[in-house]
Amino acid sequence: MAARTLRIGLIPGDGIGREVIPAGRRILESLPNSLNLKFSFVNLNAGFQTFKDTGAALPDQTVETLQKECEGALFGAVSSPTVKTAGYSSPIVALRKRLQLYANVRPVKSAGKVANPVDMVIVRENTEDLYVKEEKTRDTPEGKVAEAIKRISEKASFDIASMAGDIALRRQRVRDSGIASIHKSPLVTITHKSNVLSQTDGLFRETARRALEQAQFKGVGVEEQIVDSMVYKLFRQPEAYDVIVAPNLYGDILSDGAAALVGSLGLVPSANVGKGFVIGEPCHGSAPDIEGQGIANPIATIRSTALMLEFLGEEKAAAIIYKAVDANLGEGRLLSPDMGGKAKTDDVVEDIIKRF
């Protein structure tokens, strides 16, 4: 059987994105030949430096190439201007909208052996809520008043909850196979603030429940948490959660906060997923304080690479990467400085590749 070839767009962005995205490419190029899987790559531009160079943070050519030539992409990190900059807006937010990547999927997993291991996935709706960025400021006798639109739609809520259900079932299949070391029942936790925002969050809550009542999700437990209670319980008993689904803003806050549970943003991957396209994206920023030193933790990018493969239907290849990363972290011999070690970026990558 002929090998499957996947064309992957590489968008390093800014700062350490230019150091960790090449690590993701090396991982893909080093996968075992027995997978019958090949890759081709195209280098693309986006980010604050691209904005300074060209006047566009997300060039049209980048979007067109992704749409016409690629099955998936890896996105590094973006630096944010420290002062208001006319014409600049986040390229990753724009990419999510233009490619209709309606879900942001963020697994959070403990490193090494711990007493109460964390192993959850936060599924964040990616296209609406306050992130539609429809704001205005008006003058009043008492001073300026700024307002923002919070948009929640039935369709987006149904789609994101359905994806959360699919992920819960997939995770259960992995647990049933004996590969996973953590055992729990499939559970989706719907997070909202409908006790205050009865129409917007109320619609999200009701629609998510209806989506998870579909026949294919029989056996998936469903519960709810008000978002402020969710934050408290997330830090007090994180091992209790499996899949958390939330509107855009709450999901953004929960997923970044959850990274603290596992020690470093340098470990936490994400995928921006739509119907027919996926972008793997580490959760960390551009980290200008360590840029160019060769000490950036590549594991969030490597896990994001595996997550991209998972959503492209290459679950076996993804499992090989996950297992190698877990072995590296479990041994604890080669860790980057953010994990308390002294290993360089390349050292960590080479150690993971040796475990394939």
Side-chain angles (χ1 to χ4, degrees):
M1 185 173 66
R4 182 188 184 191
T5 299
L6 293 172
R7 186 154 177 81
I8 305 300
L10 301 176
I11 313 172
D14 301 310
I16 63 169
R18 294 190 285 266
E19 299 169 47
V20 295
I21 292 304
R25 175 174 179 161
R26 286 176 62 196
I27 290 293
L28 292 174
E29 292 174 326
S30 302
L31 285 168
N33 292 331
S34 60
L35 291 169
N36 212 25
L37 189 60
K38 294 184 178 180
F39 300 90
S40 66
F41 301 94
V42 56
N43 295 310
L44 300 169
N45 295 317
F48 188 52
Q49 186 61 51
T50 298
F51 174 79
K52 291 193 288 185
D53 292 341
T54 69
L58 179 63
D60 288 339
Q61 183 62 44
T62 293
V63 179
E64 291 170 7
T65 300
L66 292 174
Q67 290 173 325
K68 296 177 181 178
E69 298 183 21
C70 301
E71 283 81 21
L74 295 175
F75 191 103
V78 178
S79 295
S80 298
T82 55
V83 297
K84 186 176 181 180
T85 303
Y88 178 81
S89 61
S90 168
I92 188 62
V93 172
L95 261 179
R96 291 166 182 165
K97 290 182 178 179
R98 294 184 65 176
L99 298 179
Q100 298 181 316
L101 306 177
Y102 67 92
N104 184 266
V105 180
R106 296 194 180 188
V108 181
K109 186 176 181 180
S110 297
K113 297 178 181 179
V114 296
N116 296 306
V118 176
D119 185 4
M120 72 177 78
V121 178
I122 298 173
V123 185
R124 164 189 167 197
E125 202 291 316
N126 224 8
T127 63
E128 49 183 31
D129 198 7
L130 288 168
Y131 285 41
V132 297
K133 297 179 68 174
E134 293 182 18
E135 299 180 281
K136 63 181 180 180
T137 302
R138 56 188 173 85
D139 293 314
T140 74
E142 290 76 31
K144 293 183 181 297
V145 174
E147 299 173 340
I149 296 292
K150 176 183 173 77
R151 181 172 293 122
I152 299 290
S153 72
E154 188 174 29
K155 181 181 185 306
S157 301
F158 192 92
D159 286 347
I160 198 67
S162 296
M163 177 171 285
D166 288 336
I167 290 171
L169 290 174
R170 184 191 306 156
R171 283 164 59 80
Q172 186 60 31
R173 289 195 298 270
V174 171
R175 291 192 286 259
D176 289 344
S177 72
I179 296 174
S181 58
I182 296 175
H183 302 283
K184 59 176 76 174
S185 298
L187 175 68
V188 175
T189 304
I190 303 167
T191 305
H192 57 85
K193 190 68 176 176
S194 66
N195 56 327
V196 174
L197 301 167
S198 60
Q199 293 194 49
T200 51
D201 281 26
L203 179 61
F204 181 84
R205 170 185 175 272
E206 293 162 10
T207 306
R209 274 206 165 273
R210 179 162 51 84
L212 292 166
E213 288 171 357
Q214 296 176 88
Q216 66 262 38
F217 301 132
K218 183 180 180 181
V220 175
V222 179
E223 65 176 12
E224 299 178 26
Q225 285 288 341
I226 300 297
V227 65
D228 41 352
S229 174
M230 180 76 237
V231 171
Y232 177 79
K233 292 185 176 181
L234 184 68
F235 284 94
R236 290 298 299 266
Q237 51 188 62
E239 69 279 1
Y241 295 102
D242 185 26
V243 178
I244 298 168
V245 64
N248 208 336
L249 178 61
Y250 307 150
D252 193 4
I253 294 168
L254 289 172
S255 52
D256 280 357
L261 297 168
V262 295
S264 172
L265 272 173
L267 296 176
V268 183
S270 76
N272 300 287
V273 186
K275 295 177 180 176
F277 202 85
V278 56
I279 297 179
E281 178 197 4
C283 289
H284 59 67
S286 61
D289 55 322
I290 61 169
E291 179 182 357
Q293 298 178 39
I295 59 172
N297 189 341
I299 286 180
T301 294
I302 293 171
R303 281 177 162 170
S304 297
T305 301
L307 196 57
M308 177 190 70
L309 289 174
E310 198 176 326
F311 280 99
L312 289 173
E314 297 295 339
E315 293 185 15
K316 186 175 180 180
I320 289 172
I321 298 172
Y322 291 139
K323 185 176 180 180
V325 169
D326 288 349
N328 165 271
L329 292 171
E331 188 176 285
R333 183 176 59 85
L334 281 172
L335 300 176
S336 52
D338 60 306
M339 297 294 296
K342 297 181 179 179
K344 297 283 191 177
T345 304
D346 288 344
D347 297 333
V348 177
V349 176
E350 287 298 328
D351 185 67
I352 290 170
I353 289 173
K354 288 176 183 177
R355 299 174 188 273
F356 286 171

